[in-house]
Amino acid sequence: DVNQAWTELEAMKGISLLQNGGVDLIEQPVSMRNKSALKRLTEHFDVAIMADEVVQDPHNAFQLATDHCADVFAVKINQAGGLKAACLIGQMAHLAGIELYGGTMLEGPIGTAASAHVFSTYPSLNFDTELFGPLLLTDDVLAQPLDYQNFGLSVPTGAGLGIEVDSDKVYHYAKQAVPTLPKPSNP
């Protein structure tokens, strides 16, 4: 993940070395403002070039797909503009022959559950996901933590996102942030 750090010339040199070294994917090598360079790099190299920060909403993703500016789209629900938008981006990418990667902005367990549901609707996710945000936290606001096993996350089942928020934990952390917060009455 170059995180937009390279100029196009630096990207040509760097991607050539990475491709020769057997790397399978290069993430957002140039600035998100330089879509033309991203397109030229995608056309020039055999290694997959992934658009990340540049994939900001369905309209933007449509333009990137139409111009074939990348081989892979990183989809993040927050960056995409929500669940519906992330679903649309995945559908457009699939129809345009662009591979998908389910990204994260290090969401907590609620956002991660939402991401898992969105990504589970994609016909394919050839570059997988990295929904590890909750694993970085020391505590969880869910009544039952997300189910991580064998380097995978089970998509929660049940109503809504398939999760239950522990309201006592939410109140506990909210009170720490705002000490004078009154406890809500339960009807």
Side-chain angles (χ1 to χ4, degrees):
D1 183 3
V2 184
N3 274 326
Q4 310 179 70
W6 287 338
T7 65
E8 187 173 356
L9 182 59
E10 291 169 331
M12 291 293 286
K13 293 175 185 175
I15 293 171
S16 180
L17 293 170
L18 291 169
Q19 179 175 279
N20 291 340
V23 170
D24 295 324
L25 179 69
I26 309 293
E27 183 177 341
Q28 195 70 53
V30 294
S31 170
M32 61 188 273
R33 291 173 201 69
N34 196 347
K35 294 174 191 164
S36 297
L38 193 61
K39 177 181 173 66
R40 286 189 293 274
L41 294 168
T42 299
E43 292 170 344
H44 184 79
F45 290 101
D46 292 329
V47 64
I49 305 294
M50 182 163 70
D52 180 3
E53 289 86 359
V54 70
V55 182
Q56 297 181 338
D57 57 52
H59 181 270
N60 171 266
F62 179 77
Q63 293 299 322
L64 293 166
T66 300
D67 294 339
H68 195 75
C69 291
D71 301 302
V72 181
F73 281 178
V75 183
K76 300 172 181 173
I77 61 170
N78 292 331
Q79 189 170 284
L83 304 176
K84 184 176 178 181
C87 286
L88 286 171
I89 291 170
Q91 291 169 354
M92 280 188 285
H94 176 71
L95 292 171
I98 295 170
E99 302 292 343
L100 291 165
Y101 158 81
T104 182
M105 296 182 84
L106 301 179
E107 292 87 0
I110 299 168
T112 297
S115 294
H117 279 281
V118 167
F119 301 153
S120 73
T121 69
Y122 293 170
S124 64
L125 203 58
N126 289 340
F127 283 90
D128 236 333
T129 68
E130 291 181 308
L131 299 178
F132 59 88
L135 299 175
L136 302 175
L137 302 175
T138 57
D139 198 5
D140 198 328
V141 295
L142 298 183
Q144 181 70 28
L146 295 175
D147 183 20
Y148 287 93
Q149 292 182 31
N150 299 320
F151 300 100
L153 169 64
S154 297
V155 178
T157 59
L161 295 176
I163 57 173
E164 180 184 343
V165 175
D166 182 330
S167 58
D168 289 335
K169 284 185 180 180
V170 171
Y171 173 73
H172 168 77
Y173 288 114
K175 189 172 180 179
Q176 284 184 345
V178 184
T180 59
L181 187 69
K183 184 170 184 168
S185 61
N186 289 332

